[in-house]
Amino acid sequence: VLVLSIIRPQAVRDGNVARVGASIALFLLVVGLVPTNGAIGVASGLFAGEKEQGNLLPLLATPASNRAIFAGKVLGAVLPALLFAAVAEANYLIEIWLLLGTSTVRLLPFAFSVAMVAMVPANAVFGAALASLVSSRVRTYQSAQMLTSLASFPVMGTLFGLASQMQRWGAGALLIGVAAIVVLDVLLVVLGAATWRREEILARR
């Protein structure tokens, strides 16, 4: 849909090849983010859902640290979504190549494209880490989904709002932004693990 409704008409009518290339690169972010949104829903149920079903207790009884459990849950939610995102990105570029030719694919600015692609896993981990943090604090899967949606909506809205302005940023600034999100991802996992009261869950059971 993006290629046929936006990229192809712009490539045909716009003589500014730099602008066309930047638009193609920008949609690498959009195409990658859509499949990774599912990771948030998965992460919402990894603690609260398992807690409801009683499946979390065997894991809590193991010597695994809180940090290892949180990191494992986040990765378990994110990795399948990133696989779908990689397929979507490849499909997007192949469609541009088939419909518009190799010359259009070559318009992609390398550094800007790398920054857009790198932002996909960074943002996916952020969403999953936030969902895991919320999910570990509530009792039901439904509550986890509702609270995670409320918490992540402003962040996602801000990211998409900035997406239209990202073409004006330098690639260096974008990569710094990606690094900042990665740092935030790590902090969320560490904070979630450090403040999680697994003993209370074991005691209630």
Side-chain angles (χ1 to χ4, degrees), residues 41-118:
V42 173
S44 296
L46 288 178
F47 283 100
E50 291 180 1
K51 200 185 306 179
E52 273 189 303
Q53 299 169 6
N55 298 332
L56 192 59
L57 290 178
L59 180 59
L60 298 183
T62 66
S65 66
N66 286 1
R67 191 173 298 179
I69 292 174
F70 259 82
K73 294 288 188 184
V74 171
L75 288 177
V78 166
L79 290 179
L82 290 181
L83 177 62
F84 283 110
V87 172
E89 300 275 27
N91 185 64
Y92 169 67
L93 293 175
I94 289 171
E95 286 179 6
I96 292 175
W97 173 63
L98 290 174
L99 293 173
L100 300 172
T102 305
S103 59
T104 303
V105 177
R106 289 176 178 169
L107 297 178
L108 279 166
F110 179 75
F112 185 63
S113 301
V114 169
M116 292 293 97
V117 173

Side-chain angles (χ1 to χ4, degrees), residues 43-195:
S44 296
L46 288 178
F47 283 100
E50 291 180 1
K51 200 185 306 179
E52 273 189 303
Q53 299 169 6
N55 298 332
L56 192 59
L57 290 178
L59 180 59
L60 298 183
T62 66
S65 66
N66 286 1
R67 191 173 298 179
I69 292 174
F70 259 82
K73 294 288 188 184
V74 171
L75 288 177
V78 166
L79 290 179
L82 290 181
L83 177 62
F84 283 110
V87 172
E89 300 275 27
N91 185 64
Y92 169 67
L93 293 175
I94 289 171
E95 286 179 6
I96 292 175
W97 173 63
L98 290 174
L99 293 173
L100 300 172
T102 305
S103 59
T104 303
V105 177
R106 289 176 178 169
L107 297 178
L108 279 166
F110 179 75
F112 185 63
S113 301
V114 169
M116 292 293 97
V117 173
M119 194 168 287
V120 173
N123 187 73
V125 172
F126 174 81
L130 180 62
S132 296
L133 180 64
V134 172
S135 181
S136 64
R137 268 61 179 180
V138 299
R139 295 186 177 182
T140 65
Y141 174 63
Q142 185 176 3
S143 298
Q145 281 198 315
M146 181 180 67
L147 292 174
T148 301
S149 297
L150 290 174
S152 61
F153 181 76
V155 178
M156 301 302 178
T158 301
L159 182 62
F160 276 105
L162 289 174
S164 60
Q165 304 298 321
M166 286 179 178
Q167 299 179 53
R168 303 174 185 175
W169 299 2
L174 285 174
L175 290 174
I176 291 173
V178 172
I181 296 175
V182 171
V183 171
L184 187 58
D185 295 341
V186 174
L187 290 177
L188 276 176
V189 173
V190 172
L191 175 65
T195 59

